[in-house]
Amino acid sequence: MNLKHSILAMSIAALAACSHIDPLEPLAQSAIQHQSPLTDQAVIADTVGRSAVGATALAWANPSTGSAGVIEQIDASNDGPDGCRGFVTSRQSLDGITRLNGVACPSGDSWKLGGQ
């Protein structure tokens, strides 16, 4: 039994010597501070911009807000210049389910909803 207790004591001592907790919290906080959450509008505009005109049933989801939906249609829009596209999408969030009509337009290297 003494040998068993000795091995157990040495194992505990070895584990205690190996345990060291680094302060990870400041690293996580700095990463979160520099990463801004995406809005649903940005996710929808990006999905519309990456998809082909005429595309239907495109799912989108925003992990930042928990919202999701399906873009029902994308059309070349007459509402705006420079390749803007009209779209119809659903949006399911904590507030419920809504159906949205909008226009997404190219803006530099990304897409934005019309008027934003």
Side-chain angles (χ1 to χ4, degrees), residues 34-86:
H34 296 295
Q35 182 182 24
S36 58
L38 291 174
T39 64
D40 292 343
Q41 292 85 352
V43 173
I44 293 168
D46 183 60
T47 303
V48 170
R50 287 185 292 110
S51 303
V53 171
T56 59
L58 299 167
W60 64 269
N62 185 350
S64 296
T65 63
S67 299
V70 176
I71 296 173
E72 298 171 18
Q73 66 187 51
I74 299 174
D75 297 314
S77 176
N78 294 331
D79 296 337
D82 302 326
C84 293
R85 300 173 179 179

Side-chain angles (χ1 to χ4, degrees), residues 63-107:
S64 296
T65 63
S67 299
V70 176
I71 296 173
E72 298 171 18
Q73 66 187 51
I74 299 174
D75 297 314
S77 176
N78 294 331
D79 296 337
D82 302 326
C84 293
R85 300 173 179 179
F87 65 90
V88 176
T89 187
S90 62
R91 177 179 170 260
Q92 183 175 356
S93 68
L94 293 175
D95 298 331
I97 300 174
T98 55
R99 184 178 164 140
L100 307 166
N101 296 329
V103 176
C105 298
S107 175

Side-chain angles (χ1 to χ4, degrees), residues 5 20 63:
H5 288 285
H20 176 68

